[in-house]
Amino acid sequence: MNFEFNEEQKLLQHSVEAFLRDNYDFQRRQQQVESDTPFDQDLWRQCAELGWLGLPFSEEDGGLGASAVEMMIVFEQLGRYLVIEPFFETLVLFGGALKRSRHPIRSECLQQLISGQLHGALAHFELHSRGEIGSIESVSTTTDDGFCLKGCKTTVYNAPEADFVIVSALNLVRGEELLQLFLLPANKPGLEIEAYQTTDGRHAAELHLNNVHVDASCLLAEGSEALAILRETYDDALLLLCAEHQGAMEQLLRETVEYASERKQFGQAIGSFQVLQHRMVDMYIATELARSLLYAATLKSVDQSPDAGLFIAAAKVKSDTCAKAVAESAVQIHGGIATTNELSIGHYLKRIIVVSHLFGSTQYHQRRFGKLSRQLFAPGGMA
Amino acid sequence: MDLALSAADIAFRDEVREFLKQSLTPSLKRSGDLMTSVFSNFESAMAWQAILAEKGWAAPDWPVEYGGTDWTVNQKIIYLKESKRAGAPSLLPMGIQMLGPILIRYGTEAQKHELLPRILSGEDVWCQGYSEPGAGSDLASLKMRAVADGDDYILNGSKIWTSFAHRSNKIFCLVKTDVDSKPQAGISFILVDLDSAGVTVAPIVSIDGEVEQCQVFFEDVRVSKDNLVGKENQGWEVAKCLLEFERGGYCYYAAIEKQLAQVRRLAAEEKTAEGWFYELDPVFSTRLAELEIEKLALEFTENRVNCLAEGKPGALTSLVKVAGTELSQKVDALALELRGTHLPLLQNEALSYGFEGGFIGSEHGLNIMNAYLNNRASTIYGGSAEIQRNIMAKQVLGL
C-alpha cells in the first residue's frame, strides 16, 4: 500500500497548479463568468498546447493514456481554482463515452477534441432520472435509413457550446427496451437547445429531441455495450467530481484559516477563539477523511477491483457531505462578507452544492452504497 | 500510489489467519467477540498474551532483539486487522504498547534488560499513573511529589484512572521533582512497585458496573532513583512521546469493523416493531450505510497515516483518535437500537472469561449496553476529543 504520488504525478500537479495560479485568479474567473462568452477559448487552447486535453485518452486516439490518478490530480486543481472551462463536460463525459465506443469516427473526433477544436456534451439524464442510469424515457424509433429520436434531456452542461452531443434513447425492439447511444452534430435539425446559465457560473441547456432523424451511422453503441459505456463514464465522472470537491475543500480551509488569523473582533484575531478553532479543525478532519476515500476509490477504479462501485458510491457520499460541511463552515467563519458575490467562498459553496446533486444526489449514492454493501456482506459475498 | 498487498504481505496475512484459527480457543474468541471496552477482560488478555509471547508475536512494535518482530508497517496493520476480525482479545497496552517503546527509547540498559522480558512474559503487569484528581486534560498541572532523599525519592500524592491497577504489580508515574520551575519543566517519569510500603489501590466502579479503573494513593513511598526513566525533570518529553504511542499504534477501524459486523449480524436476526428485519428497514439501513462509509474513510485515513508515518506517530494521530473514537460511539448508539427490549438487563457475569452459565436474550448482543457505557470514556481518555482539537488547531492549522 502506498499513497504517495510518483515523480511524474507530482510534476503534473505542480504544473497544473502553477498554470492556474498564474492564469486563473478569482477576479479573472468572475470577469469570465460575467462576460458574454461561456468560457475562455484562449485558455482552452493553451491547455490543448500543454497536452492536458489528451490526458484521459489512449495513445492510439492521440492522447497520453493517463490513469484515474492523474485525472484526479488535475481535477483537484480545477476544483481549487473554481475553473469553469468544460474539462469535465468535454473530456470526461463526452470524451469518456466516445473513447469507450467502437465507432469509426471515434479517433478522428477525439483528435480534434484533444487539439482543442471540438467541444462536446453528454445528454443522457432526464428530469426523472436523478442519477439512475437506467431511468430514461426518450424514445428512438427505427426508420428506413436510421432512427427518429423524441424526448427531453435535462441540465446538459456545455450543450450550448458543443459541436457534438451524445444522446441516449430507448428503442422498443420486440417488446424489449434497448438502450441506444447516438453521436449527433449539435446543429442537427430537430435538436433544440434551450440554453441557460447555471448557479455555478457555467452554461447548460435543456435538450429537446423533436423528432430528430438520424442515419444509422450515428449509432454509437446499443444494449449492454451502451449501458457499460455510460456506467464506466459516469463512475469516472463521479470520482472526478469528488476530486473537484477535494480541491475546493482544501482551498476553503486555507482561506478560512488565513482570514480567521487576520480578522479582529473584541480586540483579537477571531482565530484565537476556541469555538472557531475547533470548527476549523473539523473542516480539516473532514477534508482529510474525504481525501482518504477519494484515494481509495480512485485506486480501486484503476485496479478495476470488483468493489470499485461500492467505493465510488462511498467516496461520493463522503465527499459531498464533507465538502458541504466545509463550505458552510467557511461561510459561517468568514461572516457576512462570505454571503456576497465578491468573495470566492460563496462560489465554492455554490459549486459544491451543484456537484453534490449532479448524476445522483448524495442520498442516491448512499442508497447505492447500501445496496452494494448488502450484496458484499450477503452469504457468499466477498467480505 | 497503489492499494496492492505484496505477495509477501499476502503470505503473511495467510500465516496470521492460520495461526489465529489454530490458537484462538472458543472461550478466547467469545471473550474477544463480547468485549465491552478497549480492553479485553483481564484473564482473557493475559491468556492470549501468553500464547502470543510463545509465538513471538506479543509485541510487534518492539525490535527483534527485545523480543519484538521485524514486521513492516503493512504487516503490523495486517496483524492488527486480522486479529480483530478473528475475534482475538486485545492485550493490555500499558506494558507492551506504552512503557515498552519508552524503555527502548529512554531506558537504561539495566532497565531494558530487567523489565522488557517481564512485560512480555506477563510476570509484570503495568499500569499508567498520569492523571490525578486535579490534573486531567491539564496534565502538566499534576501535583504528586517526588522529593530526593539520598539515592531515593519519597513519593506523595495520588493517581486516578489507572486502568487495571488492581490487577497490576507495577506503575509508571509522572511526578513533580521540581515545584519551582514551569509546570512541564519539573516533571519526571518514574517506575514504582505497587507492593511498596505506602501504596494503596482503590478500585473505581464504572457506570457499566465493572472495575477497570482505580485510584492509587502514595504516602511516603520510597523509590530508588534508579527507577527514573530519562533524566530528572525531563519526564514531560517522555510523557508526550508515550501519549503519541498511546494514541497511535491502534487500529481504530478494525475495532469499528468488528462493531459493524455485530450490528449487521443482529440486523439480520432482529425485527423492527413493524415486523420486518432491521436490515430491510430504510431508517436503519440509511444510518448503517452512513457509518459504514465513515468506517471506510477512517480505514484509509489510518492506512495513509501509517504509510506516511512509517511507524513514527505524529500530530495526525490526533485526527485518527478523534475520528475513530467519535465514530465508534456512533456505532454503539446504533447497536442499542438492535438490542431492544433486553437492553436494561444487567448480566455482567455472562461477559466474563470462561463463562458457561445461562443468560437471558440473544448472546450476540450481550455486550451492547456495557460497551455503550464504557465507550463514553474513549473521547475523554488519552487526551480528550477537545484536547486533540486544540493540538490540531495549533500544530496543523497554526492557530
Side-chain angles (χ1 to χ4, degrees):
Chain A
M1 230 178 270
N2 167 21
F3 297 93
E4 296 280 311
F5 296 140
N6 64 30
E7 289 310 311
E8 276 177 41
Q9 289 164 343
K10 281 183 199 157
L11 194 66
L12 175 68
Q13 183 184 41
H14 178 78
S15 16
V16 177
E17 202 278 325
F19 176 80
L20 292 173
R21 195 184 335 118
D22 294 345
N23 296 285
Y24 216 89
D25 68 58
F26 177 68
Q27 301 314 325
R28 196 172 151 184
R29 185 237 188 218
Q30 285 312 89
Q31 281 166 15
Q32 184 61 52
V33 168
E34 284 153 22
S35 74
D36 297 334
T37 51
F39 57 83
D40 185 346
Q41 292 285 1
D42 287 338
L43 188 102
W44 191 257
R45 270 191 290 277
Q46 278 175 281
C47 291
E49 281 161 23
L50 288 162
W52 294 338
L53 305 187
L55 278 169
F57 304 107
S58 70
E59 288 173 28
E60 185 196 341
D61 286 331
L64 297 171
S67 79
V69 176
E70 283 84 33
M71 291 302 285
M72 174 186 82
I73 289 170
V74 172
F75 271 77
E76 239 189 280
Q77 297 305 324
L78 297 178
R80 177 175 169 189
Y81 284 91
L82 280 173
V83 172
I84 56 166
E85 278 62 26
F87 290 90
F88 185 68
E89 293 77 8
T90 291
L91 264 66
V92 181
L93 293 177
F94 175 81
L98 189 58
K99 77 177 179 185
R100 291 178 163 90
S101 79
R102 293 171 296 158
H103 197 278
I105 201 177
R106 182 193 72 197
S107 248
E108 188 194 327
C109 214
L110 286 178
Q111 274 161 29
Q112 282 187 43
L113 185 159
I114 292 166
S115 64
Q117 292 154 26
L118 182 147
H119 275 284
L122 175 59
H124 171 61
F125 287 119
E126 300 173 7
L127 191 57
H128 301 292
S129 313
R130 289 183 171 257
E132 183 66 40
I133 288 175
S135 175
I136 60 161
E137 290 170 358
S138 293
V139 174
S140 142
T141 31
T142 309
T143 61
D144 292 344
D145 53 352
F147 305 92
C148 174
L149 310 180
K150 268 181 90 164
C152 179
K153 301 293 177 179
T154 195
T155 331
V156 186
Y157 272 73
N158 204 39
E161 291 305 299
D163 303 296
F164 281 89
V165 286
I166 293 175
V167 172
S168 61
L170 296 173
N171 193 319
L172 207 62
V173 184
R174 290 182 294 277
E176 298 261 333
E177 282 177 340
L178 182 73
L179 177 68
Q180 295 180 317
L181 290 177
F182 299 94
L183 177 67
L184 314 178
N187 58 8
K188 193 85 180 164
L191 191 65
E192 182 195 336
I193 295 177
E194 188 188 350
Y196 45 78
Q197 263 197 304
T198 59
T199 327
D200 53 337
R202 294 155 199 242
H203 292 255
E206 301 295 281
L207 212 128
H208 302 280
L209 306 167
N210 302 326
N211 293 316
V212 185
H213 286 274
V214 298
D215 296 346
S217 68
C218 291
L219 184 67
L220 203 61
E222 61 181 3
S224 57
E225 187 188 350
L227 194 63
I229 287 176
L230 290 174
R231 280 199 200 293
E232 289 171 24
T233 301
Y234 282 116
D235 271 352
D236 276 5
L238 289 167
L239 280 173
L240 295 175
L241 291 178
C242 296
E244 238 201 72
H245 272 333
Q246 198 60 46
M249 278 188 269
E250 225 179 82
Q251 188 62 18
L252 282 166
L253 175 62
R254 192 177 293 130
E255 287 186 23
T256 305
V257 169
E258 258 169 43
Y259 182 79
S261 308
E262 286 161 13
R263 167 80 174 165
K264 287 203 169 115
Q265 290 287 274
F266 307 103
Q268 50 190 317
I270 61 171
S272 65
F273 301 131
Q274 194 179 38
V275 71
L276 295 190
Q277 289 182 351
H278 285 196
R279 191 155 184 177
M280 285 182 270
V281 166
D282 286 340
M283 292 168 72
Y284 161 70
I285 293 174
T287 305
E288 290 309 313
L289 289 173
R291 176 182 299 286
S292 304
L293 255 184
L294 169 64
Y295 286 0
T298 301
L299 293 172
K300 290 273 181 186
S301 164
V302 170
D303 293 348
Q304 298 184 307
S305 169
D307 55 358
L310 177 106
F311 270 86
I312 291 169
K316 183 65 170 45
V317 173
K318 190 68 190 166
S319 183
D320 286 352
T321 316
C322 289
K324 191 162 161 273
V326 167
E328 288 171 354
S329 287
V331 172
Q332 183 66 25
I333 294 168
H334 275 81
I337 190 73
T339 66
T340 70
N341 215 32
E342 263 173 63
L343 220 65
S344 67
I345 303 298
H347 296 274
Y348 283 105
L349 174 67
K350 289 192 280 185
R351 178 63 180 162
I352 282 168
I353 297 298
V354 166
V355 162
S356 301
H357 289 84
L358 280 181
F359 316 139
S361 65
T362 316
Q363 284 191 14
Y364 168 78
H365 289 286
Q366 196 175 352
R367 289 193 296 274
R368 181 185 172 200
F369 173 87
K371 224 183 316 181
L372 292 168
S373 166
R374 273 197 298 281
Q375 285 168 16
L376 193 70
F377 289 108
M382 293 188 313
Chain B
M1 271 187 133
D2 69 83
L3 295 179
L5 290 182
S6 67
D9 286 346
I10 290 171
F12 175 77
R13 183 195 64 194
D14 293 344
E15 184 191 349
V16 171
R17 281 187 183 170
E18 187 56 29
F19 167 75
L20 290 166
K21 210 168 100 186
Q22 299 299 332
S23 316
L24 267 177
T25 63
S27 46
L28 281 172
K29 187 171 156 32
R30 182 181 186 274
S31 175
D33 281 340
L34 294 178
M35 278 168 68
T36 60
S37 156
V38 65
F39 305 116
S40 297
N41 60 46
F42 184 78
E43 287 76 14
S44 63
M46 296 317 285
W48 184 231
Q49 183 174 325
I51 294 171
L52 290 177
E54 200 188 319
K55 175 80 176 167
W57 288 4
D61 288 330
W62 296 9
V64 178
E65 53 173 316
Y66 299 115
T69 67
D70 55 0
W71 295 348
T72 62
V73 175
N74 263 350
Q75 287 174 325
K76 287 176 194 166
I77 298 170
I78 290 168
Y79 172 73
L80 281 172
K81 189 175 163 170
E82 292 299 328
S83 298
K84 275 286 167 206
R85 180 177 280 185
S90 300
L91 303 190
L92 293 179
M94 287 73 79
I96 289 170
Q97 197 77 41
M98 300 180 190
L99 182 62
I102 290 298
L103 288 177
I104 289 162
R105 185 146 157 196
Y106 295 98
T108 62
E109 282 312 310
Q111 286 170 337
K112 291 184 215 182
H113 186 76
E114 187 200 336
L115 298 175
L116 291 173
R118 294 169 60 98
I119 292 176
L120 280 186
S121 68
E123 215 171 330
D124 282 345
V125 179
W126 285 90
C127 59
Q128 179 187 28
Y130 266 34
S131 296
E132 295 181 8
S137 288
D138 181 14
L139 186 59
S141 70
L142 61 91
K143 295 275 185 295
M144 181 167 158
R145 290 291 312 272
V147 179
D149 181 32
D151 292 338
D152 297 335
Y153 290 111
I154 306 296
L155 273 47
N156 275 290
S158 159
K159 293 291 177 184
I160 198 167
W161 315 127
T162 41
S163 306
F164 290 94
H166 63 311
R167 310 304 297 266
S168 305
N169 62 332
K170 298 201 168 164
I171 183 168
F172 51 89
C173 289
L174 292 180
V175 292
K176 289 293 282 189
T177 32
D178 178 1
V179 284
D180 298 326
S181 60
K182 278 189 187 169
Q184 283 98 336
I187 291 172
S188 301
F189 189 103
I190 196 161
L191 310 175
V192 185
D193 275 342
L194 281 174
D195 54 14
S196 313
V199 177
T200 315
V201 175
I204 298 172
V205 180
S206 301
I207 47 176
D208 62 358
E210 293 291 313
V211 174
E212 278 185 349
Q213 306 301 322
C214 298
Q215 184 166 2
V216 184
F217 299 90
F218 299 83
E219 204 183 332
D220 294 329
V221 177
R222 183 170 287 272
V223 177
S224 160
K225 284 185 174 174
D226 292 342
N227 283 18
L228 274 183
V229 178
K231 296 199 181 86
E232 188 179 81
N233 296 333
Q234 288 182 347
W236 190 249
E237 184 194 331
V238 180
K240 273 202 310 189
C241 176
L242 187 145
L243 277 174
E244 284 188 1
F245 283 119
E246 183 181 358
R247 283 168 207 149
Y250 184 70
C251 206
Y252 288 94
Y253 81 87
I256 290 166
E257 216 160 68
K258 197 168 115 182
Q259 284 179 283
L260 285 168
Q262 182 183 33
V263 163
R264 272 192 299 268
R265 179 172 189 168
L266 286 167
E269 292 171 0
E270 300 288 335
K271 286 183 175 170
T272 65
E274 294 79 1
W276 49 73
F277 286 108
Y278 267 98
E279 63 179 4
L280 302 173
D281 181 67
V283 177
F284 175 84
S285 310
T286 304
R287 188 63 185 144
L288 177 61
E290 276 170 17
L291 299 181
E292 283 182 330
I293 289 169
E294 286 192 43
K295 192 281 295 179
L296 286 175
L298 174 70
E299 173 177 348
F300 284 90
T301 304
E302 288 197 69
N303 287 338
R304 273 175 62 207
V305 170
N306 286 325
C307 287
L308 274 177
E310 276 298 318
K312 290 179 212 77
L316 273 167
T317 55
S318 289
L319 187 158
V320 168
K321 203 247 166 187
V322 169
T325 52
E326 292 183 350
L327 177 55
S328 75
Q329 291 182 342
K330 291 182 198 168
V331 185
D332 284 337
L334 187 65
L336 290 179
E337 166 74 22
L338 294 165
R339 187 64 176 152
T341 315
H342 282 139
L343 193 65
L345 269 68
L346 190 60
Q347 16 188 20
N348 286 5
E349 72 285 359
L351 294 166
S352 56
Y353 179 54
F355 178 80
E356 282 173 356
F359 49 84
I360 296 168
S362 154
E363 186 175 23
H364 298 151
L366 210 50
N367 56 333
I368 282 176
M369 181 66 174
N370 289 44
Y372 167 82
L373 292 171
N374 188 295
N375 201 26
R376 304 320 300 167
S378 68
T379 45
I380 302 168
Y381 61 62
S384 69
E386 290 70 29
I387 291 291
Q388 305 297 350
R389 283 183 169 83
N390 287 349
I391 292 172
M392 285 185 270
K394 196 173 158 193
Q395 294 189 4
V396 184
L397 302 182
L399 290 165

